[in-house]
Amino acid sequence: VDDVGRAPAGGGQSVPSTAPVVIEVRDLEKTFRVPDQRIDSLKERATHPFTRVHYRELQAVKRISFDVRKGEFFAIVGRNGSGKSTLLKILASIYRPDAGRVRMAGRVAPFIELGVGFNPELTARENCVLNGVLMGLTRREANRRLGAVLEFAELEEFVDLQLKNYSSGMMVRLAFAVMVQADPDVMLIDEVLAVGDAAFGQKCMDVFHERRRAGRTMVLVTHDMSTVQSLCDRAMLIHDGELRYIGDPEEAALSYLRLNFGGSSMKKDDVLTPIVPDMNARIVEARLIDADGRPVDNVEQLTPLRLDVTLEARRDLAEPLFGFQVRAESGETIFGFTRTLDGHGQDHVARGDRVRLIGEIENRLVPGRYSLGCWIRRTREHGDLGLQALPLFDFHVYGTHPGMGSVSVEADITASVERRDG
């Protein structure tokens, strides 16, 4: 388990390991009784009066324990049916656990399912006040913040419309705006954010970054691994109701991809490797070359890194983005950059087509061993994975000027003595 005090993936402030715990979960369990057959009508009950309904038990959460510290952005990931949404509902006090305990500090605002906490027969105005009170505001405070809620949700014109006439997108905007204006200490957010459009999604991300700077705490359930890696301090992977990994967001994301595309036989003690299946593209060829185009493994310091990579699309890729990361032998990311398709109007790669990425990268690396990896991201549909990691190759930089850190930079700085008069 990683120390919470490391720098977050999103480049924000790190969460000290001495920060107080605001969510404490110990040995949590939750089981549901699921009927093997259903009798839905009076006719079925009348014709089969003595039929007994048999149930099976589905253990959704199995003895899960973890802590979340103040100011931490914490992700819960897992396949559909793994128990992550059940866990979040227990944290939100929607479900009562069968065993274990949950301790929460501060005001909590859940944003879990579309329409939860809303009365469709009431207007947006009435629902805003009602939900604000449920989130810990006084009635006066909820009324005072109504204007800000409607402005954020861009629903001023529909404030007196009953919610049953709202679209799903309008409902999401309203629910999220209520949560934002309630300004809770802890936010619990499910994948429901994927219902919104791109502009609303960006507005949500802006709020998340603002809340991070303000020291708020968030627990996020999502299938979007890019959000996990860019936003969260730590991530937890659960599978079949069990905690399989907790710690570094990138390792959790890679483990999640392995579960989805590498079979479901992953065990608790499996070693995590950055190898994921070909869900977006496969590597046809990836090599580091010299000035004459010949493959090399070693590059002299300050000599450009010449890259020649060919990928084959395993499915149609809409608006693909190719991200590259150079990492040190320790696994630390040194630098990265992204590229899109060249050429006017080229925003799509058909299945079976190939993409060649070739060119030079300025080499400021100090001598040592490094690796180059590629992230392939495509526009995705709701619930669909759009991110894939591909390790390309390892290489060695050699030279006689080691320097400090990982990169050597030019600096135009002079040092001079200023003598006192007399």
Side-chain angles (χ1 to χ4, degrees), residues 18-39:
T18 56
V21 173
V22 294
I23 301 177
E24 181 183 89
V25 176
R26 292 293 180 270
D27 298 324
L28 210 62
E29 295 186 5
K30 180 64 179 178
T31 301
F32 296 97
R33 295 180 70 214
V34 182
D36 289 331
Q37 71 274 356
R38 297 174 59 182
I39 299 179

Side-chain angles (χ1 to χ4, degrees), residues 190-233:
D190 207 341
E191 188 70 39
V192 68
L193 286 179
V195 177
D197 56 25
F200 174 73
Q202 183 57 53
K203 183 178 284 190
C204 294
M205 293 302 295
D206 293 341
V207 169
F208 293 155
H209 287 293
E210 177 189 336
R211 290 298 186 266
R212 173 194 282 279
R213 291 191 293 270
R216 296 294 189 264
T217 306
M218 184 178 76
V219 178
L220 173 69
V221 167
T222 183
H223 289 286
D224 189 344
M225 295 302 104
S226 61
T227 299
V228 173
Q229 293 171 297
S230 64
L231 188 66
C232 296
D233 300 287

Side-chain angles (χ1 to χ4, degrees), residues 250-251 274 305 324-336 365-373 393-397 405-407:
E250 186 165 316
E251 293 293 346
L305 303 173
F324 293 88
Q325 288 185 344
V326 173
R327 299 191 178 196
E329 190 174 21
S330 62
E332 179 186 8
T333 300
I334 307 304
F335 67 86
L365 299 170
V366 301
R369 294 190 176 276
Y370 302 90
S371 64
L372 180 67
F393 51 74
D394 298 331
F395 62 97
H396 182 261
V397 174
S406 299
V407 295

